[in-house]
């Protein structure tokens, strides 16, 4: 019997799959596999090339025969595979050749058959700007584009979309941070058909600016999803330029996390414009504010807008506001009774900066959100009494996370009566006994609580369970409801003592 490393087996399967897809674009396979693809992930091909780059046998298999056409080594070196450490691959050029072959083939096959290209989604990384418009021009059914580096976009790519891809509606960029990214992305938005883009996301570092947001507003009537992460402070202050984008259903605004300049603080006029803009998004269902200093006063107006009925709200790393604004914001939260997911975290940059006992109106509002399925207060200070109230008031909860100081065993009884609970993470200090944990486990419903994951992240070391007790809990949860429990003991003297020994070794 041969034992195969699953990681090695996975690399081989990926290499064989990509080899078949690429060879099919050369007409060298029984079936035209590449013509069946609806989503072409060139990032996955990059991962495959990274996996095989130093595996000589797998690399030789991948580039055997007709695949030699796609083998390109760095610095123009001739193809050789006899060294113990193979010469490095030129991934960018290999990706260009493969994508060119695939898109050219499926375009030609569709034209000859009088059919449409099946491929609708293109994801790319490690590419140059030049070939992208050519590939897009061959994909008339393209609806979405996902790029690792958005700086490869420009007028040429947008013009190809406008001319050849009438159904294109989605653009996602992992990052977009070249020196001319703001201008290039603005030119891209302006070259698209006006009011055609429905979704735009930038997920990481970027240098988008005022000119970019102004150009994006040419899609104000069509834009439904807008996720702007890691924005520069100057870009945050230009958000009012999006005031015409009121058809939004999902909005994420995140300031670049490491910036401490304070330059993103709104003037009174800018604040009014931004708060009014978001309040005018009557179809808004998802709202995320991350590192947005003025999140609370904006939310005060947004949450109190009767037409807005949020289903997801995420607030993290926000600045505390006046007592009047804070109280009014938390009271307005209680009006959002369609909320299903709620996260409130890291007031003023502190993990436990939000103390629920200081804001009884917040606890009252949370207890009125009867449709809540997920409540994350992991970076808040929550007491035993507040947990008992929340667990009693919100029977639909499936996921609950909270932090705080010492909470007592009494909360376990209330938590065990949540009929749909499948994720429980407690970062508050606990000293739960085995008997009470066993009772909690035995009260759970094997059907409705099936798959439960229970994380005790801050159990007091003097209340440490024995290995046998932890094993019993895990065995019971696994056998009866396919669940598990994980218990951590920070500052456990025994574990610290063992660490000292391991370091000395």
């Amino acid at each position: 019997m041969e034992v195969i490393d699953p990681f090695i087996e996975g690399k081989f399967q990926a290499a064989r799959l990509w080899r078949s897809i690429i060879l099919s674009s050369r007409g060298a396979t029984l079936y035209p596999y590449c013509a069946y693809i609806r989503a072409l992930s060139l990032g996955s091909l990059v991962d495959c090339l990274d996996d095989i780059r130093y595996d000589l046998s797998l690399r030789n298999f991948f580039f055997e025969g007709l695949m030699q056409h796609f083998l390109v080594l760095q610095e123009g070196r001739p193809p050789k595979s006899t060294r113990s450490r193979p010469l490095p691959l030129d991934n960018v050029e290999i990706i260009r050749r493969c994508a060119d072959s695939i898109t050219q083939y499926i375009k030609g096959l569709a034209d000859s058959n009088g059919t449409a290209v099946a491929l609708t989604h293109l994801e790319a990384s490690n590419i140059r700007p030049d070939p992208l418009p050519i590939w897009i021009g061959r994909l008339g059914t393209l609806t979405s584009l996902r790029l690792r580096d958005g700086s490869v976009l420009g007028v040429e790519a947008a013009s190809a979309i406008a001319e050849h891809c009438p159904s294109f509606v989605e653009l996602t960029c992992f990052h977009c941070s070249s020196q001319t990214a703001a201008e290039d992305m603005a030119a891209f938005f302006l070259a698209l058909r006006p009011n055609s883009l429905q979704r735009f996301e930038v997920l990481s570092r970027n240098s988008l600016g005022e000119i970019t947001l102004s150009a994006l507003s040419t899609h104000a009537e069509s834009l439904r999803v807008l996720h702007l992460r890691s924005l520069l402070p100057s870009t945050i202050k230009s958000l009012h330029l999006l005031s015409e984008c009121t058809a939004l259903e999902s909005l994420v605004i995140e300031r670049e996390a490491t910036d401490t300049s304070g330059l993103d603080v709104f003037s009174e006029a800018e604040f009014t414009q931004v708060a009014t803009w978001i309040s005018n998004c009557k179809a808004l269902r998802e709202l995320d504010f991350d590192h947005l200093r003025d999140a609370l006063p904006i939310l005060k107006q947004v949450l109190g807008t009767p037409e807005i009925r949020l289903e997801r709200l995420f607030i993290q790393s926000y600045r505390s506001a006046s007592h009047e604004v804070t109280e009014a914001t938390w009271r307005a939260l209680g009006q959002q009774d369609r909320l299903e997911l709620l996260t409130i975290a890291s007031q003023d940059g502190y993990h436990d900066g939000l103390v629920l006992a200081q804001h009884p109106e917040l606890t009252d509002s949370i207890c009125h959100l009867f449709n809540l399925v997920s409540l994350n207060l992991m970076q808040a200070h929550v007491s035993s009494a507040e947990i008992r109230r929340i667990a009693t008031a919100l029977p639909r909860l499936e996921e609950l996370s909270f932090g705080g100081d010492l909470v007592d065993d009494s909360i376990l009884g209330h938590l065990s009566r949540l009929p749909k609970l499948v994720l429980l993470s407690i970062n508050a200090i606990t000293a739960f006994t085995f008997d009470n944990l066993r009772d909690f486990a035995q009260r759970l419903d094997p059907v409705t609580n099936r798959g439960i994951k229970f994380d005790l992240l801050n159990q007091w070391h003097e209340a440490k369970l024995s290995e046998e007790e932890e094993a019993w809990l895990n065995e019971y949860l696994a056998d009866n409801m396919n669940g598990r429990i994980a218990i951590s003991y920070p500052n456990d003297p025994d574990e610290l003592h063992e660490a000292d020994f391991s370091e000395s070794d």
Side-chain angles (χ1 to χ4, degrees):
M1 177 179 175
E2 183 180 5
V3 179
I4 300 177
D5 185 324
F7 177 69
I8 295 175
E9 177 69 8
K11 290 199 300 182
F12 175 74
Q13 295 291 349
R16 185 170 64 177
L17 174 63
W18 273 111
R19 176 180 163 85
S20 297
I21 290 172
I22 297 165
L23 282 176
S24 71
S25 72
R26 307 279 289 181
T29 56
L30 182 60
Y31 299 104
Y33 301 118
C34 65
Y36 306 148
I37 297 175
R38 293 186 179 275
L40 178 59
S41 174
L42 297 177
S44 173
L45 178 54
V46 172
D47 293 339
C48 176
L49 293 175
D50 286 341
D51 284 342
I52 70 173
R53 58 181 171 174
Y54 296 132
D55 188 325
L56 189 58
S57 62
L58 192 53
R59 194 161 123 172
N60 287 341
F61 161 76
F62 187 80
F63 289 108
E64 184 181 14
L66 289 177
M67 286 294 293
Q68 279 285 320
H69 169 75
F70 300 97
L71 175 59
V72 185
L73 303 178
Q74 290 184 16
E75 300 177 354
R77 298 171 181 172
K80 293 181 181 179
S81 57
T82 58
R83 299 173 181 263
S84 57
R85 187 178 181 86
L87 293 172
L89 300 171
D90 186 341
N91 281 2
V92 175
E93 180 59 20
I94 292 173
I95 293 296
R96 187 198 66 78
R97 291 189 182 189
C98 292
D100 196 60
S101 181
I102 291 171
T103 56
Q104 188 173 30
Y105 179 83
I106 61 178
K107 168 64 172 172
L109 185 64
D111 287 347
S112 65
N113 292 337
T115 59
V117 172
L119 197 151
T120 58
H121 305 278
L122 177 62
E123 181 270 325
S125 59
N126 289 42
I127 63 170
R128 301 186 184 96
D130 296 343
L132 185 59
I134 298 173
W135 302 341
I136 290 172
R138 296 167 178 165
L139 305 175
T141 55
L142 190 70
T143 62
S144 71
L145 186 59
R146 187 179 182 91
L147 300 172
R148 176 169 293 277
D149 184 1
S151 63
V152 301
L153 290 172
V155 173
E156 295 81 6
S159 297
I161 291 172
E163 182 178 354
H164 300 286
C165 308
S167 300
F168 182 83
V169 292
E170 298 183 5
L171 172 64
T172 300
C173 303
F174 183 74
H175 64 82
C176 189
S177 52
S178 70
Q179 291 184 343
T180 60
E183 293 78 12
D184 292 342
M185 190 63 76
F188 176 86
F189 291 142
L190 292 172
L192 294 175
R193 288 177 294 107
N195 291 312
S196 61
L197 194 64
Q198 295 181 14
R199 185 185 192 103
F200 174 60
E201 299 179 78
V202 59
L203 305 178
S204 185
R205 69 182 187 278
N206 65 83
S207 50
L208 305 183
E210 179 178 346
I211 189 173
T212 318
L213 301 187
S214 180
L216 182 59
S217 68
T218 60
H219 300 275
E221 296 178 14
S222 59
L223 204 58
R224 298 292 184 271
V225 177
L226 180 59
H227 294 179
L228 301 173
R229 296 192 180 276
S230 202
L231 292 179
L232 297 172
S234 58
T235 312
I236 291 288
K237 288 178 68 65
S238 301
L239 287 172
H240 62 278
L241 295 172
L242 298 171
S243 59
E244 297 299 316
C245 301
T246 56
L248 293 175
E249 299 172 4
S250 178
L251 175 63
V252 175
I253 299 175
E254 177 191 69
R255 176 181 55 81
E256 199 278 315
T258 61
D259 181 84
T260 57
S261 65
L263 297 176
D264 58 323
V265 177
F266 293 122
S267 67
E268 184 175 348
E270 291 166 342
F271 165 78
T272 300
Q273 288 175 307
V274 171
T276 302
W277 160 47
I278 301 176
S279 298
N280 285 335
C281 298
K282 309 303 184 184
L284 198 63
R285 296 295 175 264
E286 300 179 355
L287 180 60
D288 286 20
F289 286 160
D290 197 346
H291 290 87
L292 187 64
R293 296 176 188 270
D294 293 318
L296 286 188
I298 293 174
L299 283 170
K300 171 180 173 290
Q301 183 169 332
V302 173
L303 296 177
T305 302
E307 296 87 349
I308 292 181
R309 314 304 293 164
L310 295 178
E311 296 172 1
R312 182 186 189 276
L313 178 61
F314 182 100
I315 319 164
Q316 178 166 307
S317 299
Y318 60 94
R319 186 178 60 174
S320 57
S322 68
H323 173 75
E324 291 76 15
V325 168
T326 302
E327 182 176 353
T329 303
W330 296 143
R331 289 195 185 282
L333 176 64
Q335 301 176 33
Q336 297 295 324
D337 54 11
R338 293 186 187 175
L339 269 178
E340 296 180 1
L341 291 86
L342 174 63
T343 294
I344 307 175
S346 194
Q347 175 181 294
D348 295 321
Y350 298 105
H351 288 307
D352 56 355
L354 175 63
V355 180
L356 256 64
Q358 298 174 2
H359 303 283
E361 68 280 354
L362 175 54
T363 305
D364 291 342
S365 287
I366 290 174
C367 290
H368 280 88
L369 304 177
F370 305 117
N371 288 303
L372 267 190
V373 173
S374 175
L375 175 61
N376 184 347
L377 298 172
M378 185 69 86
Q379 295 182 25
H381 190 289
V382 190
S383 69
S384 299
E386 288 153 351
I387 288 300
R388 290 193 294 269
R389 276 194 66 192
I390 290 169
T392 301
L394 306 177
R396 296 187 180 184
L397 276 181
E398 298 177 13
E399 301 178 357
L400 175 61
S401 307
F402 61 91
D405 284 337
L406 183 66
V407 293
D408 57 53
D409 292 41
S410 68
I411 68 171
L412 290 173
H414 291 75
L415 295 172
S416 68
R417 289 192 286 273
L418 287 170
K420 298 182 179 181
L421 189 67
V422 292
L423 176 63
L424 177 60
S425 296
I426 302 179
N427 197 38
I429 300 172
T430 57
F432 295 154
T433 65
F434 169 71
D435 288 343
N436 285 324
L437 286 171
R438 179 185 58 197
D439 291 345
F440 166 81
Q442 291 177 331
R443 290 193 187 106
L444 295 173
D445 190 306
V447 177
T448 62
N449 297 121
R450 185 166 183 79
I452 188 169
K453 295 176 176 62
F454 184 10
D455 294 310
L456 276 178
L457 303 173
N458 210 357
Q459 175 81 348
W460 192 29
H461 64 82
E462 292 193 16
K464 188 173 184 178
L465 275 62
S466 67
E467 292 183 4
E468 292 78 11
E469 289 171 335
E470 284 197 40
W472 187 95
L473 290 170
N474 263 308
E475 184 177 345
Y476 179 85
L477 291 173
D479 291 346
N480 288 276
M481 56 199 75
N482 194 30
R484 57 99 176 138
I485 184 171
I487 307 177
S488 298
Y489 303 91
N491 301 316
D492 179 2
D494 293 339
E495 294 184 6
L496 294 175
H497 186 60
E498 290 176 4
D500 290 340
F501 274 108
S502 63
E503 289 174 4
S504 63
D505 291 343

